[in-house]
Amino acid sequence: MAPQDERCASALRAVRRWVAADQVPVESDGLALARSVNDHVRRTGKHFLPKRMLIRLSEIRHRNTAGLPFLHAFLECVLGKHENRFWNRTYLSLPVLELLLDERKSAVSADRMATLLMADVIRFEAAAAGGSREGPGRGRPDAETVSTRLRHALRFVSQGIGGSGAEDLPSRLDGGRGSRLEGLADHLPQPPATDAWSWFDVTVQPVYVLHDEYFFIRILQAHEMLFTSMSEHVKSAVSALREGYPEECAQRIDDAVAVFERAAGLFRTVATMRAEHFATFRHYTQGASAIQSEQYKRFESLCGVPHASRLHSTAFTSVPAVRAETLHPGHDTVTRAYLDLRHERGPGGAAWSGLDAALGRLETRHQRWKSAHRGLAARMLGDAHGSGHTDGVPYLTGALENRLFRQLPLTR
């Protein structure tokens, strides 16, 4: 039996054992099953999983995952295509990552999670450049591309670590064999050593087998975590305004600006991907799109309620849960809290000038981020439509007109 066939048979045996079990052993959380299935996904692509495996996994999901939230979330993602639920959340394994962020299981912040995700990119690329057989290896980039990719990823991780920990990471590396890649993993931040965080390793489920899809998924996940972090900062800014502290609001807004600067750096890493490879695996991601990013829309709607035309467009109908939050009468925003407090206190004062400047910085950073996104999409997509049934680049061009604080008299 060929190695590929043997791995498939091994995964199927693990699935059959779970299907046949009258009840799941108390000590099992399903991680061993998830690892076996994920190994098969990584070697074949989620789009090409055998139908018999998918049917049995679906049975496991319905029969055996009560009280096993991580296994349930993992199978929700694996079965997304099979059950016609494939979209941004299931493509990026967000149900599993969000369980890891649950404060009852971990004290890791969303920003820290983004750093861990990019550290994993470095490990993956370093292992591949060193000749590791781990994971998909088709179409690996050349040494120069790897070196550029690692340089951007290392910068992102160093910013996330900060302080003395960043000093142990090199600023650049030669991406070829015989380079300083050996031992690099020892200096990278590690996920917490807990049972729950063992699930971190099964949160990359590529649809195809090209090398670049691994780091592409991790970068999209990191973007989701950064927008989660920015949403938290903006919520804190709203609370500060409601309590009557515009200075504190300005500080929270500048915290969001700093995170946005990190998010912009991710585009430089994505730019190392070859457009032809992106087009190949993107063919199997139809239905999943960044337009479905709930965290980005949540961040946007916390700054200010978007114009009615945007709320009724695909941008928000693609994220019905966030759209419902935004339309709820009790939904609060920076814009609303700002206008209420200014009406109460009147214009003027250094505190308001400082807040206006901070809001202007966030608006500017947001515009630059959107412009970079559009430029990268133009290079990767050309005239192709978006995978979320948008017009692609023309959609992103139109989005440049949107403003976070369109109702506020900020100097631009």
Side-chain angles (χ1 to χ4, degrees), residues 325-380:
E325 291 172 14
T326 305
L327 291 172
H328 191 278
H331 177 68
D332 208 357
T333 69
V334 171
T335 296
R336 183 172 293 168
Y338 177 104
L339 292 174
D340 286 349
L341 191 58
R342 286 298 288 262
H343 178 74
E344 174 188 328
R345 293 190 177 180
W352 286 110
S353 296
L355 177 54
D356 288 348
L359 295 173
R361 285 190 288 274
L362 184 57
E363 190 78 81
T364 298
R365 177 52 63 186
H366 179 233
Q367 288 301 113
R368 289 177 181 170
W369 179 86
K370 288 191 295 182
S371 180
H373 185 193
R374 182 200 172 282
L376 183 61
R379 175 185 159 195
M380 293 292 179

Side-chain angles (χ1 to χ4, degrees), residues 5-44:
D5 294 334
E6 174 56 35
R7 284 190 290 268
C8 179
S10 176
L12 281 169
R13 284 195 294 270
V15 172
R16 281 198 296 268
R17 283 194 296 271
W18 273 71
V19 171
D22 291 332
Q23 66 180 47
V24 179
V26 174
E27 67 276 9
S28 175
D29 63 356
L31 181 59
L33 172 69
R35 282 175 170 162
S36 180
V37 171
N38 202 68
D39 179 69
H40 191 64
V41 170
R42 292 273 305 280
R43 294 179 186 280
T44 65

Side-chain angles (χ1 to χ4, degrees), residues 114-130 146-159 161 169-173 175 180-189 200 211 214-215 218-219 269:
T115 300
L116 294 173
L117 290 165
M118 290 302 289
D120 187 63
V121 167
I122 297 171
R123 289 191 188 90
F124 176 76
E125 295 292 342
V146 172
S147 179
T148 302
R149 186 174 295 176
L150 286 173
R151 183 173 72 252
H152 294 314
L154 281 164
R155 182 181 297 118
F156 183 94
V157 172
S158 295
Q159 291 171 344
I161 296 174
L169 293 178
S171 60
R172 60 186 299 126
L173 288 168
R180 289 189 295 149
L181 295 176
E182 185 177 356
L184 175 61
D186 296 336
H187 299 291
L188 293 169
F200 181 80
H211 175 92
Y214 188 102
F215 100 92
R218 282 300 195 214
I219 284 178
T269 314

Side-chain angles (χ1 to χ4, degrees), residues 214-272:
Y214 188 102
F215 100 92
F216 178 71
I217 288 174
R218 282 300 195 214
I219 284 178
L220 292 183
Q221 291 170 336
H223 254 121
E224 290 297 304
M225 294 302 113
L226 292 181
F227 277 109
T228 299
S229 178
M230 280 187 272
S231 293
E232 292 168 354
H233 290 312
V234 174
K235 284 181 183 177
S236 296
V238 173
S239 296
L241 279 177
R242 289 302 180 193
E243 293 168 5
Y245 299 114
E247 302 97 330
E248 183 179 338
C249 177
Q251 292 172 4
R252 301 291 77 79
I253 291 296
D254 275 335
D255 289 339
V257 172
V259 178
F260 232 133
E261 290 173 352
R262 294 191 71 204
L266 292 175
F267 287 135
R268 289 188 285 272
T269 314
V270 178
T272 64

